[in-house]
Amino acid sequence: MALLFLLRYNFFLKDETVEQHIHLSLNKMMFGGIYDHIGGGFARYTVDKKWMIPHFEKMLYDNALLISLYAEAYREQPNANYKSVIENTLAFVEREWMTSEGGFYASYDADSEGEEGKFYTFTYNELQTILKENFPLAEKVYQIKKDGNWEHTNILFRNNTNEALAAEMDISVAELTQQLSAINKPLFDYRENRIKPGLDNKIILSWNAMMCSAYVQAYKALGNEHYKSIAVKNLEFMLRAFADPQNQGALLHTYTNGIAKYPAFIDDYAALICVLLDVNEITNHNYYLSHAIQYTTYLQKAFKGA
C-alpha cells in the first residue's frame, strides 16, 4: 500500500528519487526468494534484507495487493518483467486456489511434511539430476550453491534482469527466455510430485474482493479479456455466496464447503464496495453500481457510531 501511494504521488509530482525507490523495491521483490520463480505467487514476507529468504506461507490477500501494485507499475512503466510477474502469479492463483464456483481459497502453509519451505527448495544434487545439461545456466541464474544457500538447500532467487543476463551471455532476450523455460518447466513438473503445503480452504469475503480488484487492475494493465471474465465470475460468486439470508442487505464473512458463516466485518464491506466500483468501471453495468450503493447504505446504518 505504501508503494501504491508512492506510485500515485509520483504520477503528479514526477520525483526521480521516488520513482527509483518504487522500481528498486519492485525489482528486489520479484527477483528475491519471496517470489516463486517456478510456480508463480509471492510468499508473505522476507526475513532478510535481500528479500532472499521468505517465510514460505502464501496468502491470498498479499498476492492480491502485489498484483494490483505490479499492474499499476506496469501501466506507469511497461516492462516484460512486471508483465511476467502478473501473469505467472494469476496463473498460480487460478491453478491452486480458484474453485469451480469462482471463489478463492485463503492460503498455503509454509510447511509441508513437517518442514518449512520443503516444497519450494532444492538440493544441489536434485537440481543437477533434474536439469542435466541445463544445470549450469540454472546455477548462474538462480544463485545455486553446492552446500545450499539456506539450511543446506537452495532457495531460487535472482540478481539480474533477463536483459542484463542476456547481454552478459551475448544472446538475445528471446533466446534466454526459451532457455529459462527449459529450466523452469522440469522444475515445476518435478515439484508437482511433492506433497504440497497445507491448504486453508476458507473463502474470505474481503480477501476475495481484493483479489477480484487485482484481476481488474491486471485487465486494465494487460488488456487480457480472461482477467475481466474471472473478475466478473468471482464478483457474481461473492454476491451470491455471502448474502446473509437472515438479515436483508447484510453480508457474511467466510464461506467453506457451500456454507457461509459469521457476520461480515467492516473491511469485508469496504473491499466488496471497492470491487463493485472497479468491475462497474470495466463493464459499465450499473447493476454493480447499485449494489455498491446498497452495501454502502447498509454499512452507514450498521457500523456508524452515534
Side-chain angles (χ1 to χ4, degrees):
M1 288 176 175
L3 289 170
L4 275 171
F5 165 77
L6 288 176
L7 268 173
R8 294 167 186 180
Y9 169 91
N10 201 52
F11 177 83
F12 294 102
L13 286 122
K14 305 300 181 192
D15 185 318
E16 189 176 336
T17 303
V18 172
E19 184 173 328
Q20 287 174 352
H21 175 81
I22 294 164
H23 294 288
L24 175 67
S25 296
L26 292 172
N27 285 332
K28 293 298 183 183
M29 285 191 289
M30 72 182 181
F31 289 144
I34 194 170
Y35 178 65
D36 182 353
H37 297 276
I38 303 306
F42 289 86
R44 69 182 312 189
Y45 60 83
T46 184
V47 299
D48 69 316
K49 292 180 180 179
K50 296 180 179 179
W51 297 93
M52 176 189 158
I53 305 166
H55 177 59
F56 291 91
E57 188 176 19
K58 286 181 176 179
M59 310 293 292
L60 183 67
Y61 69 90
D62 288 314
N63 282 279
L65 289 170
L66 284 162
I67 291 163
S68 292
L69 172 62
Y70 278 93
E72 283 206 24
Y74 181 86
R75 292 172 73 187
E76 182 265 327
Q77 190 181 106
N79 72 65
N81 295 307
Y82 294 172
K83 183 174 185 282
S84 175
V85 166
I86 296 164
E87 291 174 339
N88 291 335
T89 300
L90 289 178
F92 156 75
V93 169
E94 285 181 52
R95 183 179 66 246
E96 304 287 339
W97 286 344
M98 190 172 185
T99 71
S100 58
E101 293 178 282
F104 298 110
Y105 294 136
S107 68
Y108 265 144
D109 292 344
D111 299 1
S112 57
E113 302 179 73
E115 192 175 317
E116 184 180 351
K118 185 170 184 178
F119 181 76
Y120 301 101
T121 58
F122 300 88
T123 66
Y124 189 86
N125 289 340
E126 266 184 316
L127 291 165
Q128 280 187 314
T129 302
I130 300 162
L131 297 174
K132 301 180 176 62
E133 70 275 5
N134 292 319
F135 175 75
L137 178 60
E139 188 176 23
K140 179 182 179 67
V141 172
Y142 290 126
Q143 311 299 302
I144 294 160
K145 306 297 181 190
K146 192 161 192 175
D147 295 327
N149 56 36
W150 177 73
E151 297 189 2
H152 309 295
T153 189
N154 284 282
I155 296 170
L156 304 186
F157 77 103
R158 298 183 56 171
N159 59 11
N160 248 331
T161 64
N162 284 358
E163 292 77 9
L165 194 57
E168 184 183 328
M169 297 170 62
D170 197 25
I171 60 175
S172 69
V173 173
E175 189 178 349
L176 176 64
T177 302
Q178 283 185 328
Q179 292 183 21
L180 289 176
S181 295
I183 292 170
N184 293 347
K185 187 176 187 312
L187 289 179
F188 177 84
D189 292 343
Y190 178 86
R191 207 175 71 173
E192 282 296 285
N193 290 313
R194 291 175 169 175
I195 295 172
K196 292 192 175 184
L199 173 70
D200 182 347
N201 70 343
K202 287 195 304 295
I203 299 174
I204 299 171
L205 177 53
S206 59
W207 297 8
N208 269 248
M210 291 164 74
M211 182 55 73
C212 192
S213 285
Y215 269 91
V216 172
Q217 296 305 325
Y219 169 69
K220 287 181 177 179
L222 304 181
N224 187 333
E225 289 289 333
H226 176 70
Y227 298 153
K228 179 180 177 180
S229 69
I230 294 294
V232 170
K233 180 178 180 179
N234 179 241
L235 181 53
E236 293 289 349
F237 162 77
M238 287 187 283
L239 293 174
R240 181 176 68 253
F242 289 96
D244 186 347
Q246 307 301 322
N247 188 357
Q248 182 67 31
L251 297 164
L252 297 169
H253 176 60
T254 66
Y255 179 93
T256 310
N257 298 325
I259 300 170
K261 295 181 181 179
Y262 314 121
F265 295 96
I266 195 167
D267 64 331
D268 292 311
Y269 286 93
L272 183 63
I273 291 164
C274 181
V275 79
L276 282 162
L277 297 175
D278 288 342
V279 174
N280 176 69
E281 188 177 318
I282 62 170
T283 61
N284 201 29
H285 290 168
N286 286 337
Y287 163 81
Y288 298 120
L289 182 59
S290 65
H291 271 77
I293 294 167
Q294 171 196 327
Y295 288 123
T296 302
T297 302
Y298 179 85
L299 186 70
Q300 290 174 321
K301 179 180 73 173
F303 286 84
K304 190 176 181 181

